[in-house]
Amino acid sequence: GAAINGLKNRWEEGLKARQAVLEASKKQSASRAWAWDPDLPPPLPARGALHPLNRLMDRLVEVFRPLGYHVEEGPEAETEAHNFDGLNIPEDHPARGSADTFYFAGQKGRLLRTHTSPVQVRVLKRLAANIQETGGIRFLSPGRVYRKDEIDPTHSPMFHQVEGMLVGRGIGMQHLKGTLAHAMKALFGPGADVRFRPSYFPFVEPGCEVDVRCPLCGGSGCRVCKGSGWVEILGAGLLHPNVLSYAGLDPQTWSGFAFGMGVERTAMMVSLTPDLRLFFELGQRFLKAMGGL
Ligand code: PHE
């Protein structure tokens, strides 16, 4: 009996001591700004997502993949030979000047590529060797490019382009136009208002630019389309014979087209974003609204 009473006493003392501890911690947590509430939903883990520019480039790749285009990548640090010489851009062309192009200090002929077109030169040189067996070349190349531009709603010293190229026999303007019209419809919808306008680039002949009617103002004129109602999103043309022969292809046998698309411009048009800087500021609200987070 004495043993059992002793046990009972120890048990009651233990219980009291524990109760005091719990009372004290209850008081403490009530005096804090919050108290533990088991009914609150847990905080959701933050989830990453693809950036809207990456999603647009992925989408373009998916538009061209069924047409037989594969993806090629080229380096952002390029040589003058790939960025200019192989593209028939003359020695005295203004784009070659240090006012427009970032050159590496102390490394002759090394620069940050000013467009994705040097990938044309690299791929042509590599695939020219067995073009007889393959019958042609088709590729798409998304990536970053750099120009000494001041930052404003439609310019940035770093932006993205998607280069595209097709080489084969008897390729003409009709193939270029059909392909790009198809791509524009896939991006902007079947009713998209698109125009082809003659233009000049040293590496194509003839050359053209492709505009879409500015979806931001519907064509009445705004800051983004500079009042014209149209926004240029593509440069394109038939491969200049000098570009083919630089890569070792006979322009008598082979012909083709190439195009370079401005990704930010296109993204602005697709998503009705009036300022390119929003794509680079990484604001959570903007990215969420774009469906990226
Ligand atoms: N490289 C040109 C630019 O940056 C675009 C272009 C690509 C034009 C291919 C013609 C053919 O503006």
Side-chain angles (χ1 to χ4, degrees), residues 71-78 113 116 118-119 122-123 141-144:
V71 174
E72 291 278 355
E73 268 183 273
E76 291 169 25
E78 260 296 5
R113 66 179 179 186
T116 42
V119 185
R122 289 176 173 273
V123 174
S141 189
R144 291 194 184 103

Side-chain angles (χ1 to χ4, degrees), residues 248-268:
L249 286 171
D250 179 8
Q252 298 296 332
T253 311
W254 302 101
S255 51
F257 62 75
F259 56 88
M261 174 184 268
V263 177
E264 280 77 3
R265 294 278 179 86
T266 309
M268 289 168 76

Side-chain angles (χ1 to χ4, degrees), residues 180-199:
L180 291 181
H182 166 77
M184 293 300 105
K185 286 201 176 110
L187 275 187
F188 294 101
D193 221 350
V194 179
R195 73 176 183 189
F196 289 74
R197 188 164 44 74
S199 185

